[in-house]
Amino acid sequence: MRVIFMGTPDFAVPVLDALALAGHEIVAVYSQPPRPAGRGKKDRSSPVQARAEALGLTVRTPATLKRPDEQAAFADLGAEIAVVVAYGLILPQAVLDAPVHGCINVHASLLPRWRGAAPIHRAIMAGDARTGVCIMAMEAGLDTGPVLLRDETAIGPTDTTGDLHDRLSQMGARLAVRAVAQIDRLSPVSQSAEGVTHAAKIDKAEARADLTWGAETLARHINGLSPFPGAWIERDGARIKLLRACATEGEGTPGTLLDRPGLVVAAGNGAVDLMEVQPAGKGAISGADFRNGARLAPGDPLEG
């Protein structure tokens, strides 16, 4: 099938690879334009653009699709379907209507829950037991289109956004290939008007963790923001990123180390095992290694 692929971040790369491996004719790949990145602030191509170029595919990086000439160029590709994965630009109706079978979107949530920009982060932070991937027929609304396929996975107590990102990306790749192959035979299911939630973009201002929060809330906050932007606390004037945690039993003054193996601190209720942390300017290490290096004893405050 003649396919236009539209995506930008790492999450979309396995879907592109799977479509190429399945033998579809990818007539063009659309991705957001290169952005300044790194210390030198030089323009850097998106992960999708880099992968598409490695595959020898035609890449287009328009800043907008609102211009008539861009919409005409899109239509002139004669695609049968467009597969969209975290592209990051709004698709005008003319673009949505151009492919014979329209545009389908790979979305990392169980719609209608967590429409929007950060569905993986928000599912973990909210304490959802399950999440998944939906293949959705796109329409003008934000993630409002009917669902063609879906699959689910459990969210474990120590799963981070990074863990789920990789799992759901592979799941999305499998579903996207299936959806393209079966597009004539799939029955769209309208999303329920009940249970709609919106996954707002993560703001770095959210990242500060509070060790007086309840254990479950604190652990979900840490795991949901890992690896980016990374929940953090301060010790000796420097930030410590908290990268993986698990709520556990225990009591004590919130924020103080408990007499347990590893780096277990009392929370507002219960306790949190800080399984993986990252001191400022260093790589990630286990909580136990951090405790040993900092020479922390039971009762010591972790912040301060």
Side-chain angles (χ1 to χ4, degrees):
M1 189 174 288
R2 289 176 62 81
V3 177
I4 294 173
F5 185 83
M6 311 179 81
T8 298
D10 286 317
F11 184 84
V13 171
V15 185
L16 174 61
D17 283 341
L19 291 168
L21 186 62
H24 295 290
E25 181 185 359
I26 301 176
V27 295
V29 172
Y30 279 71
S31 194
Q32 287 205 41
R35 310 287 191 201
R39 291 185 178 179
K41 295 299 179 182
K42 294 182 179 179
D43 281 353
R44 180 181 299 172
S45 299
S46 74
V48 164
Q49 180 178 352
R51 182 56 182 157
E53 290 174 346
L55 292 171
L57 301 172
T58 299
V59 179
R60 296 181 177 179
T61 59
T64 178
L65 291 171
K66 295 180 180 180
R67 289 168 33 189
D69 60 330
E70 287 291 353
Q71 295 173 15
F74 185 92
D76 287 344
L77 290 167
E80 296 171 86
I81 195 168
V83 178
V84 184
V85 191
Y87 177 40
L89 290 182
I90 294 174
L91 303 191
Q93 194 64 47
V95 170
L96 294 174
D97 293 340
V100 175
H101 296 291
C103 302
I104 62 172
N105 179 256
V106 181
H107 186 75
S109 81
L110 298 175
L111 294 167
R113 188 160 177 79
W114 302 126
R115 296 173 179 170
I120 303 176
H121 297 80
R122 298 300 179 188
I124 293 176
M125 294 170 75
D128 291 3
R130 301 188 68 79
T131 188
V133 170
C134 285
I135 306 295
M136 172 187 62
M138 296 183 70
E139 56 183 31
L142 177 63
D143 299 330
T144 58
V147 174
L148 302 172
L149 292 171
R150 71 170 62 213
D151 198 4
E152 299 186 15
T153 185
I155 301 177
T158 62
D159 275 339
T160 66
T161 286
D163 296 333
L164 280 186
H165 171 283
D166 295 347
R167 194 187 314 163
L168 295 178
S169 179
Q170 294 297 328
M171 184 183 293
R174 294 192 298 270
L175 285 183
V177 170
R178 181 179 161 197
V180 171
Q182 300 177 358
I183 195 65
D184 286 326
R185 305 190 298 278
L186 296 175
S187 299
V189 177
S190 297
Q191 294 185 39
S192 172
E194 299 180 359
V196 175
T197 57
H198 294 277
K201 184 178 179 180
I202 297 296
D203 189 321
K204 288 185 178 180
E206 297 180 70
R208 179 71 187 254
D210 188 335
L211 299 182
T212 68
W213 290 340
E216 293 285 351
T217 298
L218 179 56
R220 295 197 304 258
H221 183 82
I222 292 166
N223 293 336
L225 295 181
S226 177
F228 181 83
W232 57 272
I233 58 173
E234 279 190 339
R235 180 176 176 82
D236 296 330
R239 289 189 180 185
I240 304 171
K241 280 191 175 182
L242 311 176
L243 299 179
R244 191 182 301 271
C246 183
T248 185
E249 295 181 354
E251 59 180 31
T253 302
T256 60
L257 191 70
L258 298 183
D259 191 8
R260 302 261 291 276
L263 189 65
V264 180
V265 297
N269 60 60
V272 174
D273 184 354
L274 302 175
M275 304 166 67
E276 187 176 357
V277 303
Q278 183 178 2
K282 299 181 180 179
I285 59 175
S286 70
D289 285 346
F290 178 85
R291 173 180 175 168
N292 292 336
R295 298 183 180 180
L296 293 172
D300 286 347
L302 185 58
E303 285 195 280

